Amino acid sequence: MEKIEFIRDTLRKYYDSHTVPAPPSIERREFGAGNDKKIDWRHMSFPAEQQLNAYLRSETPLYISYSAGYYEFPEGRPMPKKNWLGADLVFDLDADEYEVDCSHSKDLVCDKCMNRVKEECIKLIEEFLIPDFGFAHDDLHVVFSGNRGYHIHIRREDVHGLSQNARKEILDFITASGLKPARHIRRRGKHLLGPRPDDWGWPGRITRAIVDEIGTGNEKSIARRMGMSTSTAKKILAKKGLVLGGIGQGDWDQVNLDPKTWRRAFGLLAIEMNAEVDKGVTMDVSRLMRLPNSIHGGTGFIACEVPSLDKFVYYNDPVVLGDGDVRCIARATMDVVLKDKVFELEEEKQLALPEYAAFYCAAKGLVSIWG
Amino acid sequence: MFTRGELQFSVKYPFSSATKGLAKWINFDFSSVEPRLLDRAKQRAIEGIETGRTTVETNTSSERIMIAEILSYPLAKIIVGKTRDKFLISRYARAEARAFQKFLLHESPANLGALARDFGFSISDAVIPFTDYLKYLPREEEYKLVNAPLKDGQVQVDNESIAHLLPEKLRDQIEKDLYQPMDVPTVFDTYAAEVAKETNRDKAFKITEEFGKVEAGIFPPCIKLLIQEAESGQPMAHQPRFVLATFLVNVGMPVEQVTELFRNTPNFNEKKTRYYIEYSLGKRGSGTKYSPPSCEKMVFYGLCRNKDALCERVKHPLKYYSKKKEVKPNA
């Protein structure tokens, strides 16, 4: 059997027996779908859940996406005719954005890179979106992308009207781009003033890190994290109590340092503590995102909402396809883990795989379908 | 009835709710405006566009002068709007915003609060929701959200930041107002034509610094901002670095000098930076010479910032530079 036939048959079977819930305000959303690419065609709209599911059953695209944006006329084209009404705030975190030394090809994933993207996602939520931006856990819909990343959809009404520029500001905040150390550590007359640990936003965050590092670090770690010489670090440590006491009051002058030294530390710690996200996606107010609860045609995984990132296991939890045997021929030699089972592929050897594993491996080109 | 004090307040803040009853009080008639009032309004418009800030006579106790000053605001708005010229409109809106800001910076907390309410800001406990803050973010780099005290979705504001936020909203409102169709007597068209003709547009562009043969003063605003960022020692991501490096080498700045520019960035690495720049020149790697991205891509990367009037007419940052080089103002 041809791979594409098997994939489409399997998807159709799934959509025939399941209902994909409509995203909120479905009638205002633009949809896009694709087989070869993630999006081969777009500018579609569905009035309600029923029509969306009818489409999935009859056309069965490998990928289906919906707009973060809300439009008066979601089918209108070109874009200005749609009349943009607003957009959810979305973040896209994908494993291939991060520098991780994985040995596998770009198509595949491993614990290393999937853990990295998960950590980054948790950092974004727990260190920025909740404490700084004041979102509640309930505002954040974390969705597995169906392949190797996570999307966060924020649908709260007060973010709908944010312009592209405003979204850029949010991103710049999260990535610490444009942070001006010289604005926060400055000379006032004879005194060098700076933030206090309980200040809001980045200045406070970095100050807490500096206080923590001086309080618990040694010359070497201070020199490394704050980008100063060990002799400077020594100077600070020699007056540790005074320096920490001073910073607690916003007085950065207890040790005689060039303000540039502190500013440099500021910049370095900002880079260390920022979160990395795909900038294009968040800023683009017309972006199409994978439809939650649809099946990713490149893996067979469901793009499911993730209630707890900590507990989410990317090779178990999104497996929803059936487990009837499918006869395959391996095209590579490797172990594939799905649903806590190890499938040992040996090139050119026949084997029977449960449907979900056959789908995953066929889509990734690791097996051909035999039966 | 307006007291002298109220009039003085309105001279500074002719758009405030406190000014609302004035036109009725003096029986102002749009269909027959005295030429002296229109002349003053025209002067206000041209001054704003050319110098970047309007000024008003605040040191007077003459009711007649104060009323002319107040009326010059709505009249100038109509005149500038009637030019239908984007450049003039945006420059004028900016000039009024800057004048507003100058007054606000010396304003009493009570008046500041009242004006903030006029502009629909609910300032409770000196914080505003970050969504409002972003909507009227002052264009000065130092007010970027990343530098602001943000916690639990609220930005702490002080009198100084309010004094920066309100003018942005005024600017936004003026620009919006001036694009609306206006049903006014034809005399305004005459004045608009005069403003369009008599304004010295070149004065609006300020030309200052020089980088050797390379004239930094005529760099597009997006590049100027990147230079400021590099020089101020803040962390820079890959994309802005690439844009800045390719732009500078393309206008002929020597590799040495470009490398120097990045020296202040906290993650500076001389060897890497040099490699990078030589790479964009095509001296390394594949040998392809790189150009900076087009304006469209700059928008996508979020690096198209501080757009000005010329930006509307070019599609590439390099084109902006070459266009400005052709017509050298005051040369």
Side-chain angles (χ1 to χ4, degrees), chain A residues 218-224 228-237:
Chain A
N218 54 36
E219 343 168 336
K220 262 196 174 161
S221 68
I222 292 175
R224 184 179 49 80
M228 46 181 70
S229 64
T230 42
S231 63
T232 308
K234 244 186 216 164
K235 230 165 120 185
I236 293 174
L237 283 176

Side-chain angles (χ1 to χ4, degrees), chain A residues 320-340:
Chain A
V320 290
L321 297 177
D323 50 13
D325 275 354
V326 178
R327 287 200 295 156
C328 306
I329 301 173
R331 294 292 173 219
T333 303
M334 65 184 295
D335 291 352
V336 174
V337 183
L338 291 165
K339 244 180 160 176
D340 274 337

Side-chain angles (χ1 to χ4, degrees), chain A residues 42-63:
Chain A
R42 56 187 295 180
H43 310 293
M44 294 186 289
S45 79
F46 301 105
E49 188 170 282
Q50 196 192 345
Q51 288 81 354
L52 168 66
N53 281 277
Y55 174 82
L56 290 173
R57 281 162 200 155
S58 63
E59 301 302 319
T60 323
L62 265 57
Y63 307 98

